[in-house]
Amino acid sequence: MTFNESAVSDVGGQEGVIRVSMLGEFRLQSGGQQVCESRNRARLLWNLLEYLVAFRHRDVPQDELIGVLWHDSEIDNPFGALKNLVYRIRVVLSSQGIPQAKKMILCRRGAYAWNNSLPTVVDAEEFERLIQKAEGKDVHPQEQLDLCLKALSCYKGDFLPKSASEEWVIPLSTYYRGLYVKCVEKTAQLLTKVGRYQEIVDIAQQAIVVDQFEEAFHRVLLCALTAMGSYQRAMAHYEHICGLFYRELGVKPSEELQELYQDLVQNTLQAETNLETVKEELQETSLKQGVFFCEYEVFKNIYQLQARVAERTGQSVFLLLLTACGTDGEPLSPKALSSGMDQLQSCLLRSLRRSDVASRCSATQFVVMLSALSAENGLMVQQRIVSRFTKENPRSAICIRSKLQAMEAWSGAGRTPVS
């Protein structure tokens, strides 16, 4: 049930209003006093209070509460235990100076309920109300934007994060998170129409703090940075995303994010600049030793260029694919894979030349472009990498499979022959 809009205006100026925060942390405030779940380790106590507030628009049967609190656990006299827990809640709230603490929870007809005759404002309900109002049919865009911004200010974090493992919390947390994602995207669209890109960047960065693995937030940030002309910041953030997703999730960004990156590269190429600026941007910031690491999309472009050069000059170029797999043949855990891929990347940095190019092309693989080598020398490089990795990481949970193949010359359809 959604929050009654009139409730906010009706109780807004009253000193006795009870304000409950459920987004980011459970906190109850009233009469200038507040009580927070972080101050008390009595998990059952807070679970009961949170449940009664979350479902405060109905009477909750005792059997339902017993099932929520104790699940399948056997407990002597569960109704007595529940009654004692309600009593303890009242004692805790009273000891913290919360006004009317003894009247907040009602007991009637074999059920418990939150006392809604006491003026109560819940941030999760207000968050939902603002979003629903912004989605109204005849709402002016500026009013929509104002409502969305207010809604975003309500969302301090996920719904009851300290109770996130509770079965009843999971669907509600998912619901409010979904509303938040849509609200971030809607706000970004409205701000884009009026060219307020820096505000979009700020909102996206705050959202990423809430959930760094939500791709929608990264898309919003990349689009805003691109619109601002901050191409280098956008490209750096995309590289950060790739590393984060590979390291923590063992996956690469979605096709949609990859397409955004391709558009970003095109925008960068089309941006007008002078020759000195171009030279500065092309120059490496430092003379880095070892192989040149790049994102896979960049690697593909370099590969296509090298294939054209190889066709014209006859230069030998080889591709080396390195795959991490479990030593026992079993799938690797995310932690083992992350550690092993870091070790392999470190090995590549110290085993390859500055003229070589490498990229992570999947969760478990690196691809390397070796230029100006014979097949025999390419095999030596391949063996050196695998041997060095094994020697330097004797206790690693992964082993390396490798495959070397000569690059195929470019064969673009309809190209003009080169004389």
Side-chain angles (χ1 to χ4, degrees):
M1 182 178 296
T2 60
F3 184 76
N4 185 338
E5 179 179 349
S6 63
V8 178
S9 58
D10 289 346
V11 304
Q14 297 181 21
E15 293 182 0
V17 63
I18 302 167
R19 301 187 181 277
V20 183
S21 299
M22 305 186 84
L23 298 173
E25 181 184 37
F26 184 81
R27 186 172 63 253
L28 187 149
Q29 298 172 285
S30 182
Q33 302 297 320
Q34 76 170 14
V35 60
C36 179
E37 62 181 332
S38 62
R39 296 180 181 177
N40 196 308
R41 298 181 181 179
R43 193 67 255 160
L44 281 176
L45 185 153
W46 293 112
N47 284 346
L48 174 56
L49 184 57
E50 291 165 353
Y51 196 86
L52 291 173
V53 174
F55 298 99
R56 71 188 186 94
H57 297 287
R58 67 180 177 88
D59 291 355
V60 185
Q62 294 183 66
D63 288 336
E64 179 179 334
L65 290 172
I66 290 170
V68 167
L69 296 171
W70 289 285
H71 305 291
D72 298 326
S73 302
E74 294 185 6
I75 179 172
D76 295 333
N77 190 14
F79 296 101
L82 178 59
K83 182 178 180 181
N84 181 59
L85 204 56
V86 172
Y87 169 77
R88 289 172 56 196
I89 290 176
R90 291 167 175 158
V91 170
V92 168
L93 296 181
S94 295
S95 68
Q96 297 295 324
I98 301 296
Q100 305 189 76
K102 295 181 179 180
K103 298 180 180 180
M104 289 181 178
I105 300 176
L106 303 177
C107 180
R108 55 197 180 196
R109 299 184 298 276
Y112 288 96
W114 183 263
N115 186 356
N116 286 310
S117 66
L118 301 177
T120 305
V121 176
V122 181
D123 63 347
E125 296 175 348
E126 174 69 355
F127 171 69
E128 181 183 27
R129 181 192 72 82
L130 289 166
I131 290 177
Q132 291 185 347
K133 185 175 180 181
E135 293 174 349
K137 289 186 177 179
D138 299 319
V139 181
H140 188 274
Q142 182 57 52
E143 185 181 358
Q144 277 188 323
L145 178 57
D146 292 340
L147 289 166
C148 286
L149 290 172
K150 289 178 182 178
L152 291 179
S153 69
C154 291
Y155 200 92
K156 305 298 184 183
D158 285 338
F159 182 79
L160 299 178
K162 291 189 177 180
S163 299
S165 60
E166 297 294 329
E167 290 184 7
W168 70 271
V169 171
I170 294 172
L172 287 173
S173 180
T174 302
Y175 171 70
Y176 287 116
R177 171 69 71 82
L179 287 182
Y180 180 60
V181 173
K182 291 180 180 179
C183 188
V184 168
E185 293 178 316
K186 179 67 174 180
T187 306
Q189 292 172 4
L190 293 169
L191 288 171
T192 296
K193 291 179 180 179
V194 291
R196 292 159 61 177
Y197 300 114
Q198 184 56 55
E199 290 181 60
I200 300 175
V201 170
D202 295 338
I203 288 170
Q205 289 176 332
Q206 292 171 6
I208 290 169
V209 172
V210 172
D211 184 0
Q212 61 179 335
F213 300 114
E214 175 54 63
E215 284 202 357
F217 301 154
H218 295 291
R219 289 197 300 270
V220 167
L221 179 57
L222 288 175
C223 289
L225 290 173
T226 302
M228 293 170 64
S230 300
Y231 302 128
Q232 296 304 319
R233 282 180 63 190
M235 295 181 76
H237 184 72
Y238 179 82
E239 292 172 4
H240 164 72
I241 298 169
C242 289
L244 175 69
F245 281 30
Y246 277 134
R247 184 174 62 254
E248 302 296 335
L249 303 178
V251 299
K252 61 183 179 181
S254 66
E255 290 186 6
E256 188 173 358
L257 270 182
Q258 294 179 48
E259 290 174 1
L260 271 179
Y261 179 74
Q262 289 282 19
D263 292 341
L264 177 62
V265 172
Q266 291 300 319
N267 284 325
T268 304
L269 293 175
Q270 293 171 7
E272 293 186 5
T273 186
N274 58 53
L275 183 58
E276 290 303 316
T277 302
V278 170
K279 288 170 63 179
E280 290 177 6
E281 291 179 348
L282 291 176
Q283 182 68 38
E284 287 190 82
T285 56
S286 62
L287 295 177
K288 298 178 182 179
Q289 299 299 316
V291 61
F292 173 68
F293 265 99
C294 60
E295 294 305 316
Y296 189 51
E297 295 300 318
V298 175
F299 183 94
K300 288 191 289 188
N301 290 333
I302 296 175
Y303 173 89
Q304 293 164 7
L305 177 61
Q306 285 291 83
R308 293 168 180 252
V309 173
E311 181 191 45
R312 181 181 180 89
T313 65
Q315 179 183 14
S316 297
V317 179
F318 292 87
L319 286 179
L320 173 62
L321 185 66
L322 301 162
T323 304
C325 54
T327 54
D328 54 3
E330 295 295 322
L332 292 163
S333 68
K335 183 177 180 180
L337 178 61
S338 177
S339 175
M341 293 299 280
D342 287 344
Q343 292 167 347
L344 180 54
Q345 180 168 341
S346 176
C347 181
L348 292 176
L349 283 169
R350 289 176 286 106
S351 302
L352 297 169
R353 304 165 302 170
R354 287 172 55 83
S355 58
D356 298 325
V357 184
S359 177
R360 188 166 179 173
C361 57
S362 78
T364 60
Q365 294 176 304
F366 283 106
V367 62
V368 181
M369 196 183 312
L370 304 169
S371 59
L373 288 177
S374 64
E376 181 179 355
N377 288 337
L379 288 171
M380 290 175 60
V381 173
Q382 177 186 13
Q383 294 169 0
R384 181 171 71 242
I385 292 171
V386 175
S387 297
R388 170 176 257 173
F389 178 86
T390 303
K391 182 179 179 180
E392 294 181 352
N393 305 283
R395 298 182 180 180
S396 177
I398 73 172
C399 63
I400 305 300
R401 293 202 313 264
S402 61
K403 183 177 182 180
L404 184 72
Q405 191 172 77
M407 174 188 285
E408 296 181 2
W410 180 66
S411 55
R415 72 187 191 281
T416 304
V418 179
S419 58

